[in-house]
Amino acid sequence: MARRLSIHFRKPGLWTTVQDAGRAGHQAYGVPEGGAADQSSCRLANWLVDNPAHAPVLEITMNGPTVEFSESAQIALCGANIEAKIDGQMCPMYQTVTVSKGSTLSFGRLVKGCRTYLAIRGEWQLQPWLGSVSAAPRQAADRTPDSYVKKGDALSIETDDQVVRREIEETLRPTYPTRLRLRVVAGPELRNFSPVSVAYFFSRGFEISNQADRMGYRLEQAIWQYTASEELISSAVLPGTIQVTGSGQAIVLMPDAQTSGGYPRIASVITADLDRLAQTKPGDELWFTLVNQEEAQMALQERENDLQRS
Amino acid sequence: MIDMMALGDRAILLNFDQRIDATINDEVIALTQKLKQQQLRGVLTFVPAYCSLTLIYDPFQTNYSRLASQIKAVYEEVDSANEQEAPRHMTIPVCYNGPDLAEVADLKELAVDEVIAKHTASSYRVYMIGFLPGFPYMGKLGEELRCSRRPVPRREVPAGSVAIAGLQTGIYPLTAPGGWQLIGQTPIPVFREDPSNPFLFRVGDQVQFRPIEEAEYETIIKQLKADQFDWATIYG
């Protein structure tokens, strides 16, 4: 029996947005793909509530919102552990949870990871833009007015009473270390970097600075012996592309990054590792390992197999 | 001659001769059109730029080496002179009242009227769209108008601002931070509500600016609001 559920945000959290698989296909018009930064967690959470894999979810960043449910609902949380609680009691992650009418979901301390994904069973009633309800780039935020969560906002979801209980076993739940290796393929301008600069890039960890958001993560430590060549003529960049600015600082691009740029591209994080990148935050340390196209493809296939298995 | 390279593990970058040049951009557009016609398996999106073309693909349906050989075969057959769709010509009305107009005139040792005359004298090509949804990078300006970006970007450039930087000119589709020199304002929305047709420009368009007074600017705004604006005045 269909019913309408409203969720009310008593507190918005640090950076809470609605995300789905994004709006691919408009990069030629300057529109970034966007979408959940950790697509695996998004898909798993949706599966746990039997929503389509790329149904909308709430992407919650580091500091969570306080959400009141007007009706009972089935929810699931995957991704970072931000001490989720229902009416003050610990709320388990990685399983279907039924919340009762009038209950409140809140969060505590960030324990692990960076972003957690809240799936709620049902059809989210939101204004899409270019086929997606992912929060549009900030300057175009009014195209997706419901997708940037502010205090006092409410979201409507058409849901039903179908009860589904699922769980993802512990061994299949990702862990989120604060120092990790990301696999990258060579960037188009790698060959413009000196051997010392390249060696430096691959030989040590880079700390994520405080300038880290859905557009990009700026890394500390300038690359040694980096001689800034003239800026390149703008061409396309993708999430995962690692640009190096004039001062030798690297920026790892994220889903809301601009679609073009003029900085040299030293490397690109492989698609299979973007989910893990999305679970890192300022202060964490990234190491880069060079792989080739075949290894990148295999990694992507492995990731897909793992997701299917869960 | 193009240089093919992987851009990450789901895109292939084709670099043409690296210069901002209409003929090269024509080649980019011709190859884009030709490749689109091929409907290559797994190709999702084309991103043309000044002198490069990026194809984003689904790595579950194809891979770099297969695409590279398919592209190579097509490239060898393209003749840009003949392959092109005719470019669209557009005339954009601009009220030349930008906050940086006087400064630009000073810098270039021109009268304000001369800056306007030079900016409106020729038509410019849209070389690429990026930075913001719908932002057209247009060029090339004559050397007499070349100026650098502002040393301190503005936190808010109003939507509709007509701007110049280097040998490029552009229009801010949305209110956004920006460092270009603002010389005017257009009432024409570069980025529209209409979801089926949100972007005014596309790569290859030829754009000419037409100076208007404030009165006409206000009239156009009213007409747009009332859905009575005659778009034929823009095209053709």
Side-chain angles (χ1 to χ4, degrees):
Chain A
M1 192 188 63
R3 40 194 188 88
R4 175 162 287 222
L5 152 72
S6 271
I7 63 172
H8 293 258
F9 291 93
R10 300 293 168 220
K11 292 208 302 218
L14 175 69
W15 195 260
T16 305
T17 55
V18 179
Q19 299 291 341
D20 56 21
R23 53 183 67 82
H26 307 279
Q27 291 91 330
Y29 292 98
V31 182
E33 284 182 29
D38 176 354
Q39 287 283 334
S40 293
S41 292
C42 170
R43 286 166 64 178
L44 290 176
N46 275 327
W47 177 77
L48 288 169
V49 299
D50 203 19
N51 271 357
H54 293 299
V57 293
L58 273 181
E59 181 179 89
I60 292 163
T61 313
M62 289 170 61
N63 189 296
T66 300
V67 188
E68 210 175 270
F69 289 78
S70 73
E71 295 289 320
S72 65
Q74 276 148 331
I75 70 170
L77 285 159
C78 292
N81 178 354
I82 315 181
E83 292 186 330
K85 300 182 181 70
I86 306 268
D87 293 330
Q89 300 298 314
M90 196 216 73
C91 173
M93 294 187 67
Y94 290 98
Q95 65 185 80
T96 321
V97 170
T98 302
V99 305
S100 48
K101 175 173 170 150
S103 53
T104 299
L105 170 67
S106 62
F107 294 85
R109 197 177 48 105
L110 176 67
V111 173
K112 259 182 187 248
C114 179
R115 295 174 166 88
T116 204
Y117 292 84
L118 172 64
I120 302 173
R121 179 171 172 72
E123 274 187 40
W124 295 40
Q125 307 295 303
L126 292 155
Q127 174 99 306
W129 178 55
L130 297 178
S132 163
V133 298
S134 289
R138 243 163 296 186
Q139 284 84 22
D142 63 346
R143 293 298 189 271
T144 52
D146 313 310
S147 298
Y148 278 94
V149 170
K150 295 173 297 298
K151 179 172 164 152
D153 280 356
L155 287 182
S156 289
I157 300 172
E158 291 287 326
T159 189
D160 60 24
D161 287 328
Q162 189 174 331
V163 173
V164 167
R165 209 202 157 260
R166 293 174 173 171
E167 183 171 347
I168 293 172
E169 49 168 292
E170 289 226 29
T171 54
L172 295 174
R173 300 177 193 182
T175 56
Y176 300 128
T178 55
R179 293 173 89 207
L180 77 162
R181 275 197 179 278
L182 294 173
R183 290 164 295 186
V184 302
V185 292
E189 286 82 43
L190 176 67
R191 56 200 179 177
N192 299 358
F193 288 77
S194 71
V196 169
S197 294
V198 175
Y200 181 95
F201 183 77
F202 287 108
S203 64
R204 66 190 55 220
F206 287 81
E207 193 184 308
I208 300 173
S209 76
N210 282 324
Q211 292 172 278
D213 58 20
R214 281 184 53 93
M215 286 186 70
Y217 280 8
R218 192 173 278 253
L219 305 181
E220 305 279 17
Q221 302 126 267
I223 292 174
W224 279 0
Q225 287 195 21
Y226 177 66
T227 42
S229 45
E230 254 183 54
E231 255 182 45
L232 305 172
I233 299 173
S234 288
S235 69
V237 290
L238 265 63
T241 299
I242 305 174
Q243 302 176 301
V244 180
T245 68
S247 57
Q249 266 192 312
I251 306 177
V252 187
L253 298 184
M254 298 291 280
D256 289 351
Q258 288 172 16
T259 51
S260 59
Y263 290 126
R265 298 156 289 199
I266 190 171
S268 291
V269 177
I270 68 172
T271 306
D273 283 356
L274 291 178
D275 301 329
R276 293 163 58 230
L277 171 64
Q279 293 298 348
T280 62
K281 61 189 177 297
D284 288 352
E285 197 175 87
L286 303 179
W287 292 68
F288 301 108
T289 298
L290 187 65
V291 300
N292 61 29
Q293 292 290 324
E294 287 72 32
E295 291 171 302
Q297 298 237 296
M298 273 182 359
L300 195 55
Q301 191 58 59
E302 253 178 55
R303 169 183 173 266
E304 196 54 36
N305 296 345
D306 287 346
L307 278 171
Q308 301 291 349
R309 240 192 324 198
S310 324
Chain B
M1 241 350 315
I2 57 171
D3 201 1
M4 283 195 258
M5 285 164 289
L7 178 61
D9 60 352
R10 57 189 184 98
I12 179 166
L13 168 69
L14 312 178
N15 264 349
F16 292 70
D17 213 352
Q18 293 294 290
R19 288 180 288 132
I20 299 179
D21 177 292
T23 317
I24 295 176
N25 191 247
D26 271 338
E27 289 175 28
V28 173
I29 295 170
L31 185 58
T32 306
Q33 289 171 1
K34 186 85 187 193
L35 287 172
K36 277 184 177 169
Q37 282 163 21
Q38 302 299 309
Q39 301 196 310
L40 300 172
R41 183 166 177 261
V43 173
L44 301 171
T45 313
F46 291 81
V47 190
Y50 287 98
C51 43
S52 71
L53 173 61
T54 300
L55 278 76
I56 301 177
Y57 60 86
D58 176 353
F60 288 102
Q61 295 213 47
T62 188
N63 59 49
Y64 175 81
S65 21
R66 185 186 308 153
L67 268 181
S69 16
Q70 289 171 321
I71 292 166
K72 194 154 180 288
V74 171
Y75 177 71
E76 263 136 37
E77 290 173 21
V78 170
D79 173 0
S80 46
N82 297 338
E83 303 284 352
Q84 293 262 39
E85 273 171 28
R88 303 184 307 176
H89 285 264
M90 296 159 77
T91 306
I92 302 293
V94 179
C95 189
Y96 281 91
N97 58 4
D100 302 325
L101 182 57
E103 210 178 295
V104 168
D106 254 358
L107 197 75
K108 303 310 293 180
E109 294 179 347
L110 295 167
V112 164
D113 281 346
E114 288 177 290
V115 173
I116 297 172
K118 286 176 195 297
H119 193 250
T120 53
S122 21
S123 72
Y124 304 108
R125 162 189 293 256
V126 176
Y127 277 94
M128 68 171 283
I129 299 177
F131 160 51
L132 287 170
F135 183 100
Y137 283 90
M138 299 186 273
K140 288 196 279 197
L141 297 177
E143 277 294 336
E144 334 79 79
L145 287 181
R146 180 203 280 271
C147 34
S148 50
R149 285 167 173 72
R150 300 184 65 75
V152 181
R154 288 186 167 85
R155 296 192 59 199
E156 268 196 19
V157 171
S161 294
V162 175
I164 60 179
L167 292 176
Q168 301 165 119
T169 182
I171 306 173
Y172 282 78
L174 300 160
T175 299
W180 288 35
Q181 307 282 3
L182 309 181
I183 60 174
Q185 188 86 14
T186 181
I188 304 301
V190 171
F191 180 46
R192 297 171 289 194
E193 294 291 332
D194 179 3
S196 62
N197 189 15
F199 305 110
L200 184 62
F201 297 113
R202 56 183 194 227
V203 174
D205 285 345
Q206 289 290 332
V207 179
Q208 182 124 21
F209 295 103
R210 175 174 77 84
I212 60 172
E213 298 301 323
E214 296 236 3
E216 191 178 345
Y217 180 97
E218 296 301 333
T219 305
I220 295 175
I221 296 276
K222 284 200 185 83
Q223 288 170 344
L224 285 162
K225 258 205 179 99
D227 207 14
Q228 285 170 356
F229 178 70
D230 183 8
W231 284 90
T233 61
I234 304 294
Y235 298 100

